[in-house]
């Protein structure tokens, strides 16, 4: 997962420069990097990247877009992995209610 994180980070940097920070492919790389961090047990870092991705997707795609909801769900999973069950449940419920 360490190598995967490094490759996702590299891809994210290139896409950020060439496509812009708000481009869907850039955000996909950011989300992939968060998933790699989560797989390594770096849940705090993963949550921060998931939150960043969610905020941009919410702004650019809207709150009810499937990719926005995926970011919200990923953020909830990262919170749950940190033991923040109340916050995680609230985000999962928010995601479920929109769907």
């Amino acid at each position: 997962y360490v190598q995967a994180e490094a490759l996702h980070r590299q891809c994210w940097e290139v896409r950020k420069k060439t496509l812009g920070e708000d481009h869907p492919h850039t955000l996909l790389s950011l989300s992939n990097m968060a998933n790699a961090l989560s797989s390594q047990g770096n849940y705090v870092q993963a949550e921060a990247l998931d939150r960043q991705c969610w905020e941009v997707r919410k702004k650019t795609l809207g709150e009810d877009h499937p990719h926005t909801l995926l970011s919200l769900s990923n953020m909830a999973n990262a919170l749950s992995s940190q033991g923040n069950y109340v916050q995680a449940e609230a985000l999962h419920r928010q995601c479920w209610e929109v769907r």
Side-chain angles (χ1 to χ4, degrees), residues 17-80:
K17 288 177 187 174
T18 58
L19 301 173
E21 291 188 25
D22 295 351
H23 192 279
H25 293 156
T26 305
L27 295 172
L28 177 61
S29 294
L30 184 63
S31 180
N32 289 341
M33 191 167 45
N35 288 335
L37 286 164
S38 185
S39 294
Q40 295 174 65
N42 295 327
Y43 305 119
V44 173
Q45 289 177 300
E47 177 202 344
L49 295 184
D50 285 327
R51 185 175 304 278
Q52 180 182 347
C53 190
W54 173 69
E55 288 174 354
V56 175
R57 283 178 167 168
K58 186 171 63 166
K59 181 181 71 174
T60 59
L61 301 174
E63 286 190 41
D64 59 349
H65 191 280
H67 293 161
T68 305
L69 295 173
L70 178 61
S71 293
L72 185 62
S73 178
N74 288 344
M75 187 170 44
N77 290 336
L79 285 165
S80 179

Side-chain angles (χ1 to χ4, degrees), residues 82-98:
Q82 294 173 61
N84 296 326
Y85 303 117
V86 174
Q87 289 176 321
E89 179 185 0
L91 294 184
H92 279 304
R93 285 185 185 277
Q94 181 182 344
C95 187
W96 181 74
E97 288 170 0
V98 173

